[in-house]
Amino acid sequence: MPQQTTKDSPIRDRGKKTAGYRRLFSLPGARAFTAGNLLARLPMGMFSVSAVVMIAGARGSYALAGAVTAAGLAATAVAGPWLARLVDRHGQARIALPATVVSVLGSLALLLCVRYGAPDWTLFTAYAGTAATPNIGGLSRARWAHLLRDEPGAQHAANAFEQAADELCFMLGPVLASFLTGAFFPEAGTLVGAVLLLAGMALFTAQRATEPPPQARSKAPSPLRSPGVPPLLLCFTAIGAVFGSMEVVTIAYADALGQRAAAGAVLALQAAGSCAAGLAYGALKPAGPRLHRCLAVMAALMTLPWAAATSGSLLVLAGALLIAGMATAPTMVTAMTLVQRRTPADRLNEGMSLMVTGLLTGIACGSATGGWATEHLSPVAAFAVPAAAAAVALLVSLAPEAARRVGARRFPQDTAPQRSICARNSIEV
């Protein structure tokens, strides 16, 4: 018997509509798929830390550990959109669960290669298998977008909740991984992460009533050719550079002060600020998304850690990161809302996965740039890198509107057509 989907189930019409987060979890099946989503998402913050500890401990080389995790990141960036396209075409349950099994086998293969002293090249091969991990955040957002497609206010709350969940998992994941690898054995973080990922994805994909119906073959253009999506991709890349550089320079700054062990807790405060701000932002009545406003706030707040670093106090820096982090979730919520609006509905997973690819690319570039600035300038001066990346994201968001105004001035007789063309490519709605 075929599984029932929301398309033929009156889930969205049952009962009275409630506001905010209560509305989300009043939907039948929402709590179950959210529980699975959180279980599967937690390992995303565990795997890289666990891999670094495991490889560096066994091989005595942080360079090798970093190279292996970087290769895995690159493989994920390449495989993500392709995997998401398959999900859109064949459905979440048919693709995401088998892909998760492949990813878990990759993690276990890495564990065994490290444990039994396999050649270095096998570590790269094994960890590349984890690129099959589905974008669980994107899968969950796609469910909310399907269930709440006629309720923009509830979609706003759902996007805010998902962003807060991202921050929470990336805050708790490294802490849990560090505890497991330290309290038990080096492979414990990878092993527990693999179990959580598989169990969470099994629970998530079992909720078939809330799954978006698959599209046999989309006739819509690639999300990259959808109006307004390429500028968004550039914005996500610049935002990723903020994240990647901030992590590296904060660790380097703490190390310079002789307090490297406290770097994780300081970075966790940034995620905590973002998580709290995301939940508060989702509870507000949504206005029209204005990404450039959020990015302007982020660009301003990212100067606070730079200023705080001149004090020479890790405690002052922690406070600045807590405040600066509050700009992250509202910016990401607004950006993801625009992605959902501008991506064809039957290629939504692919569109969101492309943005994740942009984020990962930005994180890698930001990490490299932040590391270079730390070594060649100073740990304090390196805080200019995340501030500059936030400023670049703001400029990218403003570029289409600036181009429209320039075009209107140069060709006043064609103002209306110019406005129409540029409006379709503008980041603002």
Side-chain angles (χ1 to χ4, degrees):
M1 175 181 262
Q3 295 286 344
Q4 188 183 43
T5 68
T6 328
K7 189 174 182 179
D8 45 32
S9 173
I11 283 180
R12 295 188 306 110
D13 297 327
R14 296 178 187 174
K16 283 187 176 182
K17 292 184 180 181
T18 53
Y21 299 113
R22 289 179 59 196
R23 168 60 182 154
L24 303 184
F25 299 108
S26 67
L27 296 172
R31 295 180 183 179
F33 86 69
T34 299
N37 152 41
L38 293 176
L39 271 180
R41 196 181 299 193
L42 183 60
M44 298 301 101
M46 297 175 61
F47 282 133
S48 60
V49 173
S50 300
V52 168
V53 172
M54 182 171 63
I55 295 170
R59 304 295 171 93
S61 172
Y62 278 99
L64 175 62
V68 170
T69 55
L73 189 69
T76 300
V78 172
W82 176 77
L83 185 62
R85 187 181 304 172
L86 291 178
V87 169
D88 285 329
R89 184 175 298 177
H90 301 290
Q92 294 184 354
R94 289 185 62 187
I95 301 299
L97 189 57
T100 300
V101 172
V102 172
S103 175
V104 167
L105 291 175
S107 294
L108 296 179
L110 175 68
L111 186 154
L112 293 174
C113 289
V114 173
R115 183 75 173 179
Y116 293 103
D120 290 350
W121 65 266
T122 63
L123 308 185
F124 291 90
T125 304
Y127 202 61
T130 63
T133 306
N135 176 14
I136 181 64
L139 297 179
S140 188
R141 287 179 175 92
R143 291 200 179 208
W144 290 122
H146 175 66
L147 294 173
L148 304 168
R149 58 188 178 274
D150 299 324
E151 301 177 46
Q155 283 190 40
H156 172 76
N159 283 334
F161 172 78
E162 289 298 324
Q163 186 59 39
D166 275 341
E167 302 294 345
L168 182 64
C169 291
F170 278 99
M171 180 172 61
L172 297 180
V175 175
L176 179 58
S178 298
F179 168 75
L180 291 170
T181 55
F184 297 97
F185 47 92
E187 298 86 1
T190 298
L191 187 60
V192 171
V195 171
L196 288 175
L197 175 61
L198 185 58
M201 190 61 76
L203 176 59
F204 179 85
T205 54
Q207 313 311 311
R208 301 298 294 274
T210 55
E211 180 180 350
Q215 304 292 331
R217 185 176 291 274
S218 175
K219 296 182 180 179
S222 165
L224 283 175
R225 288 188 286 169
S226 298
V229 170
L232 277 172
L233 183 59
L234 291 176
C235 270
F236 271 90
T237 304
I239 293 170
V242 175
F243 301 156
S245 58
M246 185 64 80
E247 181 176 358
V248 171
V249 300
T250 299
I251 293 173
Y253 181 79
D255 194 18
L257 295 177
Q259 303 178 59
R260 185 174 184 178
V266 172
L267 288 168
L269 282 175
Q270 182 184 4
S274 180
C275 181
L279 292 174
Y281 186 67
L284 297 175
K285 183 178 179 180
R290 291 293 184 267
L291 183 57
H292 74 275
R293 295 177 185 172
C294 294
L295 288 170
V297 173
M298 173 181 274
L301 292 184
M302 285 301 160
T303 63
L304 293 180
W306 188 8
T310 61
S311 69
S313 168
L314 197 60
L315 185 61
V316 174
L317 176 64
L321 285 174
L322 177 65
I323 297 172
M326 293 180 181
T328 301
T331 301
M332 292 295 294
V333 169
T334 303
M336 275 298 183
T337 299
L338 291 176
V339 172
Q340 291 170 358
R341 291 186 180 187
R342 295 177 177 186
T343 302
D346 53 359
R347 303 189 76 161
L348 184 56
N349 280 294
E350 183 181 352
M352 289 190 289
S353 184
L354 281 169
M355 299 304 136
V356 172
T357 294
L359 271 178
L360 294 176
T361 302
I363 288 172
C365 293
S367 297
T369 306
W372 180 91
T374 297
E375 288 190 12
H376 292 82
L377 301 175
S378 71
V380 173
F383 278 98
V385 176
V392 169
L394 174 60
L395 291 175
V396 169
S397 73
L398 294 173
E401 178 63 17
R404 184 193 68 79
R405 292 180 180 179
V406 170
R409 290 173 184 171
R410 292 181 61 186
F411 308 101
Q413 70 276 18
D414 298 325
T415 297
Q418 289 288 341
R419 182 179 295 113
S420 174
I421 292 170
C422 292
R424 289 198 303 268
N425 292 282
S426 173
I427 283 192
E428 285 193 353
V429 172

